[in-house]
Amino acid sequence: MAADGGSFSLGLPCVFSPKSRQYLALCAQDGRLRIWNTDIKTLNQEYVPSAHLSATCTCISWGPCRKAKEGPQRKKRKSEAGQVENQVDLLALGTAAGSVIIYSTVKGALHCTLDGGHSGGVNCVQWHPEDCLLYSGSDDTHIVEWDLQTGKARCKWKADRASVTSLCVSPDGKLLLSAGHAIKMWDLETKEVYRKFTGHSTAVTTLRFATTRPPDSNGLYFISGAAHDRLLSVWQVREDGKDKNSVVSFNLTDEPHHIDLFTSNSKEEAVRLAVVCRDGQLHLFEHFLNGPCKKPLSPLCTVQITGVEDSPVPVPLLAAALTTDTHSLLLAYGNHLQPVMERVEVNTAERHVCLTRDVHTTLSLTMATTVSKVKTPVANAKGKVLVPGLPGHQAPVKGSLGSEKRKGTDAKEMSIEERLGKIQMSPEKGVKGAPSLQTDNFSVLLVQGLESKDANILNKVFQNRKDFFIKTTIARLPLPAVLPLVEEITKRMQGHPYTAVLMVRWLKAVLMQHTSYLASLPDLVFKLGVLYHMIESRVKMFHKLTKLHGKLYLLMTQVATSDSGNEVKDVDHTAKLVYEEESSDEDDASGDEGLPDEDSDNWEEDETMDDEAEGMRMESKVNGDSDIEPGNESEEE
């Protein structure tokens, strides 16, 4: 019995339909669900969820093969009932918004949406093999049991302290495996923990039951794989409860992304396992599960696909499915948007098988196309054609679209450099009314230069020094171009100091205009690490250079002051001889008692000064003071 294809919380969901493997369901980066027919290799259905951008698909799981009569859907006709009986219909998709989408492949439309069960993103979904039930695990650490007949949650319980990253229902529908902080086995009837296992150190991405034996016989095994773990672990459910550690390990080259297996029904039957790793290689295992095995088991055969180029490039495998024939495999490889599906026969006797495929020629996927409603316009001489470009520039009409010149073999499409050369970047001198580039034109040029990494375009924009121009250009720059601009500025600041001085102005304008956007980036520290360390190393010398600049400025000022002082002294040397104050002092020292220009008023002032001095002497005598000098007193005594 082939196990159902699994859902993964890591990587892009990709899974084959159970039993027949007729369909391959996958979700690509654009959020669309695509279902490919593996028999005729065509795109069978495509579904775009209403919130495929905000609520991306995180996991996929096919419903069991049965008549799809459950749930709120229309009544089937008698002719349809026989067709649907042995066909898979429902497909469950878990989303990052916490909802579960049920898609019907028979109707080719949405069956129902299961909301309100989780408060976090859904990491895994698993169907019950018999009842109309679905189980989902989420980041909110809970497991929800959904009833597809009512479209509502039937039961909800807390499964772990960490996020529930993987689920698996036993083939008999009585047990449920869940992986979070630890691996737990639940009794679905009582919702109680039946067993608890140690688990992995990283998030468990897949769980699979490897045998269909009852748990009481020591013969129930399951397989687990985790992120960043190159080992698949096999666990045994024992009666005595001594099952804390894994009993068997399978060696891988990288973490598992897709697993398909054939379960073992008895000890004499081996488990067949196909594992597609993250590096795009496929490993095939075959092992009899009968107790512990000390050494990790190597793969029986490894399959890898390469291209047909001169230097072969590996082609990644997306998914693989086992068939009843032990030598046959169903592979899906290439691109998620257009995978190549092929049934191949592999000689498992060889340890390593390398398949060479030309993916471009092998790609024969077709889809029914409708008649195109796009009409091609017819241009004549009277018409005026407007082409995208810089404002103010017009492209003259050189002829109709179907001209002979365009049909010629010599006609070549102009490169971007030639087109830029045709554009008048600056107005001609002496021509009035010549168009001039505005700041919005330079913002367009800046974006084009950043996308094409053309140094000529960037130099023409960065050579402008006007602060108003820089500020306006940065303000009109779209947000996706801000981070590439900062990286370009960082690269240019590491060059010549003259360029660094100019780039600082642009960096200042970017930080003033788009700081809020840069702060919202999650990996900003990693992106701007080079710029930070460069500024840190240069600022470290700024303090010392400032001190040196101050000292040199003070020294040069003193030198300039002394030089200017000597010049002033030489000039003022003759001017001091004409000062009136200096000439009066010299006359007093020589004993001259009159000057030709002195008048009588000065003599009256001198007489009044002598009278005041005599009055002061009389007062000192009355007070007992003598005007005789100390030397004269000693001589009289």
Side-chain angles (χ1 to χ4, degrees):
M1 174 181 175
D4 295 347
S7 59
F8 293 89
S9 60
L10 297 176
L12 294 173
C14 178
V15 59
F16 286 99
S17 60
K19 291 186 178 180
S20 65
R21 311 303 170 100
Q22 185 181 2
Y23 299 104
L24 173 67
L26 55 86
C27 277
Q29 294 90 340
D30 56 0
R32 298 170 182 261
L33 170 66
R34 292 181 175 87
I35 301 177
W36 304 87
N37 191 321
T38 60
D39 294 335
I40 57 178
K41 300 179 176 60
T42 57
L43 180 60
N44 187 38
Q45 294 180 18
E46 184 175 4
Y47 172 66
V48 183
S50 58
H52 67 285
L53 296 179
S54 59
T56 57
C57 176
T58 56
C59 51
I60 299 177
S61 181
W62 283 96
C65 296
R66 62 175 183 271
K67 184 177 178 180
K69 61 182 179 180
E70 303 86 355
Q73 56 183 350
R74 66 179 177 85
K75 186 177 180 181
K76 298 289 187 302
R77 298 176 182 177
K78 292 183 179 180
S79 59
E80 292 180 355
Q83 298 175 2
V84 179
E85 188 170 359
N86 295 323
Q87 181 181 352
V88 292
D89 177 28
L90 300 182
L91 187 65
L93 291 81
T95 65
S99 59
V100 180
I101 299 174
I102 307 298
Y103 177 79
S104 174
T105 58
V106 173
K107 295 188 299 182
L110 179 66
H111 179 73
C112 64
T113 303
L114 309 178
D115 290 322
H118 294 290
S119 60
V122 177
N123 296 323
C124 47
V125 286
Q126 275 291 322
W127 292 84
H128 194 278
E130 298 176 359
D131 299 335
C132 188
L133 299 176
L134 179 72
Y135 298 91
S136 62
S138 169
D139 287 335
D140 60 4
T141 70
H142 285 75
I143 298 176
V144 176
E145 183 182 63
W146 302 93
D147 190 350
L148 269 296
Q149 291 181 344
T150 61
K152 297 181 180 179
R154 183 178 177 182
C155 181
K156 179 179 179 180
W157 71 94
K158 185 176 178 63
D160 209 301
R161 293 179 296 171
S163 302
V164 180
T165 56
S166 186
L167 292 174
C168 184
V169 183
S170 62
D172 57 2
K174 296 181 180 180
L175 299 174
L176 173 68
L177 282 173
S178 71
H181 188 268
I183 299 177
K184 296 181 181 180
M185 181 175 288
W186 302 84
D187 188 343
L188 288 178
E189 185 176 355
T190 61
K191 304 298 187 296
E192 294 180 355
V193 178
Y194 180 76
R195 286 284 191 278
K196 187 176 180 180
F197 304 88
T198 305
H200 297 261
S201 58
T202 55
V204 177
T205 56
T206 180
L207 289 171
R208 293 291 176 272
F209 277 96
T211 60
T212 58
R213 309 166 203 170
D216 298 335
S217 62
N218 287 342
L220 183 61
Y221 294 83
F222 68 89
I223 298 174
S224 67
H228 311 296
D229 194 348
R230 298 183 179 183
L231 288 177
L232 276 180
S233 301
V234 181
W235 309 79
Q236 182 183 16
V237 183
R238 298 176 57 88
E239 287 184 87
D240 52 9
K242 297 180 180 179
D243 43 20
K244 300 296 181 183
N245 299 322
S246 61
V247 292
V248 182
S249 296
F250 295 115
N251 263 331
L252 303 175
T253 55
D254 208 336
E255 64 179 87
H257 265 199
H258 186 275
I259 291 182
D260 187 54
L261 58 83
F262 272 90
T263 56
S264 171
N265 298 320
S266 62
K267 294 182 179 180
E268 290 76 19
E269 186 178 1
V271 175
R272 293 177 56 202
L273 185 65
V275 184
V276 176
C277 296
R278 184 181 179 181
D279 57 2
Q281 298 188 46
L282 169 64
H283 303 287
L284 302 176
F285 297 91
E286 189 172 341
H287 182 66
F288 292 91
L289 293 177
N290 189 13
C293 182
K294 295 182 179 180
K295 295 182 179 181
L297 302 177
S298 299
L300 183 67
C301 179
T302 298
V303 180
Q304 190 175 9
I305 299 179
T306 58
V308 294
E309 297 84 359
D310 295 336
S311 56
V313 178
V315 178
L317 276 161
L318 305 179
L322 298 170
T323 59
T324 54
D325 184 6
T326 57
H327 298 286
S328 180
L329 291 172
L330 177 58
L331 304 179
Y333 55 89
N335 196 313
H336 277 84
L337 296 176
Q338 281 191 326
V340 180
M341 287 156 289
E342 181 184 0
R343 295 182 184 271
V344 297
E345 290 188 0
V346 178
N347 184 10
T348 56
E350 299 181 9
R351 297 298 299 270
H352 188 85
V353 176
C354 185
L355 304 176
T356 305
R357 296 289 185 271
D358 189 355
V359 180
H360 300 288
T361 58
T362 309
L363 198 60
S364 59
L365 304 173
T366 59
M367 186 177 181
T369 57
T370 58
V371 179
S372 176
K373 298 181 181 180
V374 180
K375 295 183 179 180
T376 304
V378 179
N380 50 29
K382 298 181 181 179
K384 184 178 181 181
V385 180
L386 300 178
V387 297
L390 299 177
H393 295 273
Q394 297 178 354
V397 180
K398 297 182 179 180
S400 60
L401 295 178
S403 62
E404 296 180 359
K405 188 175 181 180
R406 188 177 183 85
K407 293 180 181 179
T409 56
D410 296 337
K412 294 182 180 180
E413 186 178 358
M414 288 192 303
S415 63
I416 297 179
E417 183 178 0
E418 294 174 349
R419 293 179 185 178
L420 290 174
K422 296 287 185 181
I423 299 175
Q424 296 293 335
M425 296 297 295
S426 58
E428 298 179 1
K429 295 182 180 180
V431 180
K432 295 183 178 180
S436 61
L437 291 175
Q438 305 296 328
T439 52
D440 55 350
N441 307 141
F442 276 98
S443 63
V444 173
L445 281 179
L446 183 57
V447 173
Q448 292 177 355
L450 292 173
E451 291 179 353
S452 61
K453 297 182 180 179
D454 194 332
N456 295 329
I457 302 178
L458 295 176
N459 291 335
K460 290 177 181 179
V461 178
F462 287 145
Q463 67 185 0
N464 202 299
R465 290 172 163 272
K466 297 180 181 179
D467 293 335
F468 175 77
F469 166 83
I470 296 174
K471 182 179 178 181
T472 311
T473 304
I474 295 299
R476 296 181 179 181
L477 196 69
L479 290 180
V482 173
L483 193 58
L485 175 60
V486 174
E487 293 177 352
E488 180 66 24
I489 291 174
T490 304
K491 184 174 67 175
R492 288 174 174 258
M493 287 180 65
Q494 297 175 358
H496 196 275
Y498 176 80
T499 308
V501 172
L502 185 59
M503 288 297 101
V504 166
R505 298 186 179 185
W506 288 87
L507 181 61
K508 178 181 177 182
V510 171
L511 295 179
M512 291 176 63
Q513 293 286 340
H514 302 290
T515 301
S516 58
Y517 168 72
L518 292 173
S520 64
L521 298 177
D523 55 347
L524 180 65
V525 177
F526 176 75
K527 294 285 186 182
L528 302 184
V530 177
L531 178 62
Y532 175 78
H533 289 297
M534 182 179 60
I535 295 177
E536 189 72 17
S537 61
R538 295 190 177 183
V539 171
K540 190 178 296 182
M541 297 296 297
F542 181 75
H543 184 64
K544 296 181 180 179
L545 291 176
T546 304
K547 286 185 176 181
L548 180 60
H549 178 268
K551 292 180 180 179
L552 291 175
Y553 180 77
L554 182 60
L555 181 61
M556 296 303 296
T557 306
Q558 293 296 323
V559 172
T561 305
S562 61
D563 294 342
S564 62
N566 294 333
E567 294 177 0
V568 172
K569 186 175 182 181
D570 296 339
V571 174
D572 295 341
H573 182 70
T574 57
K576 289 181 179 179
L577 299 178
V578 298
Y579 282 169
E580 185 177 350
E581 291 82 3
E582 293 180 357
S583 62
S584 61
D585 293 338
E586 292 175 0
D587 294 339
D588 293 340
S590 60
D592 295 338
E593 296 181 354
L595 292 174
D597 56 347
E598 288 181 351
D599 52 2
S600 58
D601 294 338
N602 295 333
W603 293 104
E604 291 178 358
E605 290 178 1
D606 294 340
E607 291 176 356
T608 55
M609 290 177 64
D610 295 338
D611 295 339
E612 289 177 359
E614 290 179 358
M616 292 176 65
R617 290 184 185 133
M618 291 297 293
E619 290 177 1
S620 62
K621 287 181 179 181
V622 172
N623 295 331
D625 297 333
S626 174
D627 58 350
I628 303 174
E629 294 179 0
N632 298 334
E633 290 180 357
S634 61
E635 291 178 357
E636 291 179 356
E637 290 177 357

